[in-house]
Amino acid sequence: MNIIPATKKEIFGWAMFDFANQGYTLLIITVVYGDLFTRIIVGDAAGDYRLGNLLWSLALAGSYTLVVLTAPVFGAIIDFSATRKKFLFASYLLTVITTSLLYFVAPGYILLAVVLLVVSNYAYSIGESFIASFLTDLGKPEDLGKISGFGWALGYVGGLLATAVALLFLGEVSVDNFARIRWVGPFAGGFFLVAAIPTFVWLKERGRGRRLRHFRQYLFLGLRRVQRTCAQLRQLRDLALLFVSIFFAMCGIYIIIAFTFIYGAQVIRWDESVRVLMFVIVQITATLGALVFGFIQDRIGTKITYIITLLLWILAIVLIYLTPDLADWAVQFFGWNWQAQYVFLGVGCVAGACLGSTQSAGRTLVGLLSPRDKAAELFGFWGLFSKAAAIVGLVGIGLLQVAFGLKAAILFCGVLFAAAFVVGLALNEQRGRAQAVRSIKRSVPAG
């Protein structure tokens, strides 16, 4: 198969989608809207916000369920018809519209908030699978780690820019400031709309598409190809192991993304200035982590890099749980007047360093272990396992925090990262890459 190498401009255009969509992740899922939803939109007379936390978990889990049901089928249709940019554009437009409509959600409008969250997060999340499927066409296998890391790092730069501007102009999450903070939805949607334009201008659609007469035929074709690929995963043993490991890792990561700032507000009880500082620290360390580990994985191997980041995650979760105790021990044994909120900032550096690097290394491994002629479909499976993980992780933490409180429930993440580590150890990167090559040689074009 003759592949026209991607230019630097095209790679930059691809990475700009990461730059653009991180505004949604941070403003809606992580920093602002999660706090706004749990404390203001839902509220809680008891003061522990467990109902809001549970509804937040269920709303996100619902959106990820839709991704699980559709991502592989859409990926199979894309591989057949060479329509990645069209599907990507549709997901992008739907994200922009539904995110902007969050402006109309007021305190007590819980159903409207949940519906818009489900649809916007579904569109954003499935777009991640579509943009990731371009990765294998952008460079040689030995360069994919750097390219993926560059995209993830640029994403954190975009998230830092979008959130810094939003926090500067919109202010804090509070009832008194609701008239301004409700603009977070339109701002996130507008940022995504403008910043992703280079992606659609410079990113190329590769492959020769085939056409069918009726839409129903595409659906049946997608289902048949997914069924065939499920059987083929038995031959792609290491890719299957990777998907299982990614499932456990993403369970933990989605909990961290969705609950870090909620945890800071409810457990650590940080000041507004510390919340902003945590955001900046995590973005900077995540950017550096994605870049540095991107180069490291091309030198020592992507699997080894992935395993190292999982160990760092286990350490980070233990430190998150112990943050209040570390502050107390510092005073008790050393006389240091450490506040828990400042100890939490240090923990944020560890979590930030592996936030982007784990996901980038996982994305690179999927690209390396996937047959090129099934890239979009298998990245659809990547989306399936990632979002299925989000469902399990978010529903799990939602129920556990109702029973035991958010502080104790966060230890669930440590168990999940440990499981990802154990499964990841069994993966053989070189064998998996050889399996992918053999699979291409055996494949027969299907219509």
Side-chain angles (χ1 to χ4, degrees), residues 253-294:
I253 288 175
Y254 274 106
I255 292 172
I256 295 299
I257 290 173
F259 275 90
T260 294
F261 281 75
I262 294 173
Y263 190 92
Q266 297 178 12
V267 177
I268 306 300
R269 299 188 182 280
W270 55 18
D271 298 331
E272 176 66 18
S273 60
V274 176
R275 180 176 78 103
V276 174
L277 189 57
M278 172 64 91
F279 158 71
V280 173
I281 286 174
V282 169
Q283 294 308 110
I284 292 174
T285 54
T287 300
L288 294 175
L291 283 174
V292 171
F293 278 101

Side-chain angles (χ1 to χ4, degrees), residues 169-310:
F169 288 100
L170 301 182
E172 66 179 2
V173 177
S174 66
V175 175
D176 294 338
N177 190 48
F178 181 75
R180 291 174 64 191
I181 200 66
R182 72 188 306 176
W183 283 95
V184 67
F187 178 82
F191 183 86
F192 193 8
L193 177 67
V194 175
I197 290 174
T199 301
F200 298 101
V201 174
W202 292 327
L203 190 60
K204 297 179 181 178
E205 182 76 69
R206 287 173 168 79
R208 180 176 297 176
R210 289 160 285 179
R211 299 290 179 264
L212 299 173
R213 289 188 176 183
H214 303 293
F215 172 79
R216 186 174 57 182
Q217 291 178 290
Y218 285 105
L219 180 61
F220 289 151
L221 175 136
L223 292 170
R224 288 198 306 270
R225 288 170 70 100
V226 168
Q227 184 180 21
R228 197 155 49 232
T229 299
C230 286
Q232 190 181 16
L233 281 176
R234 299 173 186 172
Q235 302 166 0
L236 301 172
R237 177 176 180 270
D238 292 287
L239 180 60
L241 284 172
L242 174 63
F243 283 147
V244 175
S245 179
I246 285 176
F247 171 82
F248 287 117
M250 293 306 296
C251 276
I253 288 175
Y254 274 106
I255 292 172
I256 295 299
I257 290 173
F259 275 90
T260 294
F261 281 75
I262 294 173
Y263 190 92
Q266 297 178 12
V267 177
I268 306 300
R269 299 188 182 280
W270 55 18
D271 298 331
E272 176 66 18
S273 60
V274 176
R275 180 176 78 103
V276 174
L277 189 57
M278 172 64 91
F279 158 71
V280 173
I281 286 174
V282 169
Q283 294 308 110
I284 292 174
T285 54
T287 300
L288 294 175
L291 283 174
V292 171
F293 278 101
F295 281 93
I296 289 175
Q297 64 186 276
D298 287 335
R299 291 180 178 270
I300 69 173
T302 308
K303 178 222 170 159
I304 296 176
T305 306
Y306 174 70
I307 291 297
I308 291 172
T309 65
L310 293 175

Side-chain angles (χ1 to χ4, degrees), residues 45-58:
D48 58 8
Y49 307 110
R50 295 190 184 191
L51 175 61
N53 292 347
L54 179 60
L55 291 175
W56 177 252
S57 298
L58 294 177

